[in-house]
Amino acid sequence: MKIRFLPIITLLICIISSCSIRNEENKDELEIQAVTDSFATQYYCWRFKDAARFSNQDFQQHLRYLSSNVHEADIKELTSSSATPEFSIDKINIKNDHEAIVILKLRNIYQMDSLGTKAHLIDKTTHKLILNKNNEKWEVINIE
């Protein structure tokens, strides 16, 4: 009687193990979406300090540099604008268990110009976010 149940038990083990792999991939994708959404919401509204919470330590230094170069002309341009930054995730490519690339479609974002000049509005563009998983946490490490 035990022999009859062996194929059924083996099949159940295979099904359960395959589901757990998909769940892990799905979990990573959901976490990447959440980090991307939080980061992009802060970053494209020029809240660099808040965006740093979703970045690794090296990229946080880059965000501090950006913050230190925001000038009065930038602030006036941002506060007087009626354009609201918009983004959508176009594609998530999970390269392996610790690296992912997210393609963002962006509208109405302000881009920092050379020092001393105000930021300028970009109607449509795309950016690539590079994320790494560090200590079970996804973080933005670069924007291209």
Side-chain angles (χ1 to χ4, degrees), residues 78-116:
L78 291 168
T79 56
S80 67
S81 175
S82 62
T84 303
E86 300 172 18
F87 68 90
S88 62
I89 296 174
D90 186 42
K91 183 178 180 184
I92 296 176
N93 180 9
I94 301 174
K95 295 181 115 4
N96 50 49
D97 20 330
H98 65 276
E99 185 180 5
I101 297 172
V102 178
I103 307 297
L104 289 178
K105 288 185 177 182
L106 303 156
R107 291 186 45 88
N108 301 326
I109 64 162
Y110 276 92
Q111 184 168 321
M112 198 177 277
D113 209 336
S114 56
L115 293 176

Side-chain angles (χ1 to χ4, degrees), residues 57-81:
Q57 201 166 15
D58 290 338
F59 198 69
Q60 287 174 7
Q61 287 182 319
H62 173 70
L63 294 172
R64 280 192 289 277
Y65 173 76
L66 286 177
S67 293
S68 69
N69 286 299
V70 175
H71 295 285
E72 192 65 34
D74 296 319
I75 294 169
K76 284 181 182 176
E77 184 68 24
L78 291 168
T79 56
S80 67
S81 175

Side-chain angles (χ1 to χ4, degrees), residues 120-131:
H120 61 277
L121 182 65
I122 297 177
D123 184 43
K124 284 184 179 180
T125 191
T126 59
H127 283 177
K128 185 189 309 185
L129 296 184
I130 313 297
L131 288 86

